[in-house]
Amino acid sequence: MDILSFYKIHGLESIVTEAEVALKIEGRDYEETDFGRIMADIKKRINKEYQIDLNNGKVDDISFETGIYKAATSLFLDTMSGVHMKLAAEHHLERYQLQVSTHIAKFNWLGYTRESLLKMLKHAQTKKHLPQCEKAIISFEQSLGTINFGLEKRLIMIMCVCYEIGVYEIVSVIAEILYLGGRYES
């Protein structure tokens, strides 16, 4: 057995499920069309599970590093860093093999041209350029109800939720996964 074999057993689907569990994304969230309502429900569930009130800000805000939420935020970020590691490793192995699990054509590029969507996904991969993607991510949030359920919709949901709560490293790795899927889809 090698590393590649391990990830073939678990795969991107199970890592996405782990991310959904960590972020408290439930099946009914994929049926809801109002992303504001989805985020309100997810924030309530995260507060209940981790005792972090994300209505007060994003996890990268200084108040979560020093205040009453410090220990809870550390636990939440530890969980999210585990998800990030697995997503990044899975992405690397897909890139290594040039075998992709995602196809951006499945969601009709969300009203963008293929080239402009790929450019946005490329920008979302870096901290420096991520702020330029805010309008696109907001349009993703508004378009979630139009995407058929599947791996791509699940990844976009996770990406949007992570953007809204300040876990930008996961936004970046999902952008990389989707970008690779757009570059190498047939």
Side-chain angles (χ1 to χ4, degrees):
M1 179 180 251
D2 58 6
I3 292 172
L4 188 58
S5 305
F6 175 79
Y7 277 94
K8 281 184 180 177
I9 292 169
H10 298 281
L12 186 56
E13 291 272 348
S14 69
I15 298 167
V16 167
T17 300
E18 187 176 334
E20 290 166 332
V21 170
L23 291 166
K24 304 299 163 204
I25 298 172
E26 297 180 353
R28 65 182 171 203
D29 295 323
Y30 290 104
E31 298 168 7
E32 177 61 56
T33 57
D34 179 359
F35 191 75
R37 185 173 296 142
I38 292 168
M39 278 310 302
D41 291 344
I42 287 172
K43 286 178 179 180
K44 283 181 200 171
R45 289 183 222 127
I46 288 173
N47 189 11
K48 185 175 180 181
E49 177 76 18
Y50 297 100
Q51 286 78 50
I52 303 170
D53 187 358
L54 291 172
N55 293 311
N56 295 331
K58 298 182 178 195
V59 293
D60 65 334
D61 290 347
I62 192 74
S63 61
F64 287 107
E65 294 177 21
T66 58
I68 60 172
Y69 298 117
K70 182 178 180 178
T73 303
S74 293
L75 176 63
F76 177 68
L77 289 176
D78 183 55
T79 302
M80 296 311 300
S81 68
V83 168
H84 176 265
M85 286 188 307
K86 291 176 183 175
L87 282 170
E90 175 69 23
H91 168 65
H92 173 77
L93 291 172
E94 283 190 1
R95 190 175 60 228
Y96 172 70
Q97 300 176 89
L98 287 180
Q99 294 177 346
V100 297
S101 301
T102 60
H103 303 282
I104 62 173
K106 286 186 179 178
F107 52 85
N108 293 327
W109 306 311
L110 298 172
Y112 293 89
T113 65
R114 180 178 182 273
E115 293 74 27
S116 63
L117 180 58
L118 287 174
K119 183 178 180 181
M120 188 286 300
L121 291 170
K122 189 169 186 160
H123 283 309
Q125 295 174 33
T126 63
K127 183 177 183 176
K128 178 180 176 182
H129 294 107
L130 184 60
Q132 298 170 0
C133 302
E134 185 171 6
K135 287 181 184 178
I137 291 173
I138 290 168
S139 79
F140 285 8
E141 295 170 358
Q142 295 168 345
S143 300
L144 271 168
T146 66
I147 304 170
N148 291 330
F149 185 78
L151 181 59
E152 291 79 8
K153 181 172 185 162
R154 294 169 70 199
L155 284 166
I156 291 170
M157 173 74 85
I158 293 165
M159 183 176 165
C160 292
V161 169
C162 285
Y163 184 81
E164 290 298 327
I165 65 173
V167 186
Y168 302 117
E169 297 83 359
I170 291 180
V171 173
S172 172
V173 76
I174 290 174
E176 285 186 69
I177 291 168
L178 293 171
Y179 179 82
L180 186 71
R183 293 277 301 159
Y184 295 105
E185 67 188 353
S186 48

